[in-house]
Amino acid sequence: QVQLVESGGGVVQPGGSLRLSCAASGFTFSSYGMHWVRQAPGKGLEWVAFIRYDGSDGSNKYYADSVKGRFTISRDKSKNTLYLQMNSLRAEDTAVYYCAKDFSGWSNWFDPWGQGTLVTVSS
Amino acid sequence: EIVLTQSPATLSLSPGERATLSCRASQSVSSFLAWYQQKPGQAPRLLIYDASNRATGIPARFSGSGSGTDFTLTISSLEPEDFAVYYCQQRSNWPSLTFGGGTKVEIK
């Protein structure tokens, strides 16, 4: 079955950087777009970024306005791994970050989701 | 940005009762709407996509309807495992994907 396992979360100071990883298994990783979605503590869901199945340059990557220019999504097909490089972190970036497989390639529905990794931005 | 407004914020019902959750979009999203269920401490799970299609493995007691700006998620008879928070999400305004604020279905 499909499995997505996030890692890399932790505590970071404002202005700092962090890289999240999402190890994927149970499906043909190179055939599906992938998303990052976040959830601030006790709050709702916010889409963060998407990379197409063939994402290797900027034209195949999309970002929420709130993270554009600070976050970079990427993927390594040889490792079946999705990444989120987060720079210039702010307190409002504190959240559980979920990676999610696109439902059918590029449908922009999220299915399934990983268990999430918590990022805390605090001094 | 398309804003999704869910109502009510909290729904208090008993097992076996029918639940009706609403999601209203600030502008038409056609049928490009999905519903997710999230239980405490867990990741969300896709229930319904394209307004009315059940995802794989989702029980038939879950159904979705609507188009344009008004959508409904109906749970025909609540099971104990259905008490959770439900979110709607639109994909009409790509590359902006937005979620509603959620409806919590709690045990009365």
Side-chain angles (χ1 to χ4, degrees), chain B residues 13-102:
Chain B
L13 295 169
S14 300
E17 289 193 296
R18 182 183 188 90
T20 303
L21 287 67
S22 173
C23 177
R24 178 163 291 178
S26 59
Q27 64 189 74
S28 177
V29 299
S30 185
S31 294
F32 299 134
L33 191 105
W35 292 92
Y36 298 84
Q37 176 194 65
Q38 186 177 34
K39 298 178 182 179
Q42 296 186 19
R45 174 175 72 147
L46 178 66
L47 298 176
I48 302 287
Y49 64 94
D50 292 344
S52 61
N53 295 301
R54 272 191 305 276
T56 303
I58 301 304
R61 63 181 181 274
F62 291 91
S63 63
S65 63
S67 66
T69 60
D70 290 296
F71 299 85
T72 301
L73 174 69
T74 301
I75 311 171
S76 59
S77 178
L78 284 164
E79 297 287 339
E81 61 267 28
D82 299 336
F83 292 91
V85 179
Y86 293 84
Y87 294 95
C88 58
Q89 176 236 328
Q90 66 80 25
R91 66 160 186 147
S92 173
N93 192 31
W94 180 250
S96 172
L97 304 176
T98 54
F99 291 87

